[in-house]
Amino acid sequence: PFIFHQAHAPFPIALVNRSPYGKPIHVDTANPQDAAWMGAFRYAKKSIFIQSPTLNASPAIDGIIAACRRGVIVTIWLGLGFNDSVEGFGTFQGGTNEHVVKKLYKKLRDGNDGAVTYLQVYWYTGKDQTRPRHFSHKQRNCHIKFMSIDDQVAIMGNGNMDSQSWFHSQEVNVMIDSSAVVKEWMDALYKNQSTHRYGRVTFD
């Protein structure tokens, strides 16, 4: 859908991209994209919202855990089974979405400090669906890559929360600082899918 924004005052915008990096090692984080994401995890005070097809990059996992332990609510919308054959074990990527979600909940639960209650994970559910559809069905899959921090700052582009995008691929993203525009983007996400209604993953 097209989103026509309400009139607003000028606000800061920055391109936070990354150049390609071909070596098969997970170390290349010295780039604007990764710096923006790591800053988001580190400096969020109240909430972090992420929608991504995939999630398995180690800095993202560490950032989510650290934020939850600070009392920041982290909400994640992911694709159920998205690209499992590419992201799974043996591919040097970091594991499937289901594996990573289990790992996140286990690490937070093992801390025994209540941090697990700050993590809210959902499987993407299409607007006309009442339950998530596994990627293998090739129906109602979602490719949104979006992050908002404290309902004020947002990062949107073609960077996923997986190892490929964090460490290797050439990516283009924009970061904005505007609570008004972030709200309009969030309203659009909630309006055009049913993830928040039917996709919630329980703690167990």
Side-chain angles (χ1 to χ4, degrees), residues 105-120:
Y105 276 124
K106 184 178 187 305
K107 282 196 171 186
L108 289 170
R109 195 164 42 239
D110 289 349
N112 203 28
D113 56 3
V116 68
T117 61
Y118 291 96
L119 178 62
Q120 302 175 359

Side-chain angles (χ1 to χ4, degrees), residues 6-204:
Q6 297 297 315
H8 54 73
F11 56 83
I13 302 176
L15 283 173
V16 288
N17 305 334
R18 66 155 292 129
S19 299
Y21 186 85
K23 294 181 181 179
I25 51 177
H26 294 172
V27 297
D28 182 37
T29 57
N31 57 78
Q33 171 192 267
D34 294 359
W37 284 339
M38 288 188 288
F41 287 122
R42 185 178 300 120
Y43 297 115
K45 296 179 179 178
K46 299 179 296 182
S47 64
I48 297 172
F49 174 91
I50 297 169
Q51 181 157 18
S52 176
T54 48
L55 166 66
N56 58 28
S58 54
I61 293 170
D62 293 342
I64 290 166
I65 292 171
C68 288
R69 287 178 174 161
R70 293 198 318 270
V72 175
I73 297 172
V74 181
T75 304
I76 308 173
W77 292 4
L78 295 171
L80 179 59
F82 197 98
N83 274 3
D84 276 2
S85 61
V86 176
E87 304 285 349
F89 290 110
T91 63
F92 199 56
Q93 295 300 310
T96 66
N97 286 339
E98 288 179 88
H99 165 77
V100 171
V101 168
K102 291 176 183 176
K103 177 180 178 180
L104 284 168
Y105 276 124
K106 184 178 187 305
K107 282 196 171 186
L108 289 170
R109 195 164 42 239
D110 289 349
N112 203 28
D113 56 3
V116 68
T117 61
Y118 291 96
L119 178 62
Q120 302 175 359
V121 178
Y122 296 74
W123 297 128
Y124 169 75
T125 307
K127 184 175 176 64
D128 60 340
Q129 300 290 303
T130 57
R131 63 172 63 98
R133 297 283 288 172
H134 196 276
F135 179 74
S136 60
H137 294 290
K138 303 298 182 184
Q139 296 177 344
R140 309 302 187 274
N141 299 311
C142 185
H143 217 233
I144 291 172
K145 302 99 181 288
F146 178 84
M147 182 184 203
S148 73
I149 305 96
D150 294 335
D151 300 318
Q152 177 67 39
V153 174
I155 303 167
M156 180 167 59
N158 67 320
N160 299 292
M161 284 288 153
D162 63 6
S163 297
Q164 184 65 34
S165 285
W166 269 82
F167 302 116
H168 301 293
S169 295
Q170 177 173 304
E171 308 287 8
V172 179
N173 307 275
V174 64
M175 178 170 64
I176 72 165
D177 184 355
S178 168
S179 59
V181 173
V182 170
K183 182 182 185 304
E184 289 174 338
W185 281 349
M186 290 297 299
D187 288 346
L189 291 179
Y190 277 88
K191 181 179 179 181
N192 289 285
Q193 52 191 298
S194 296
T195 304
H196 60 294
R197 292 192 179 95
Y198 304 115
R200 181 70 184 267
V201 175
T202 56
F203 292 151
D204 60 353

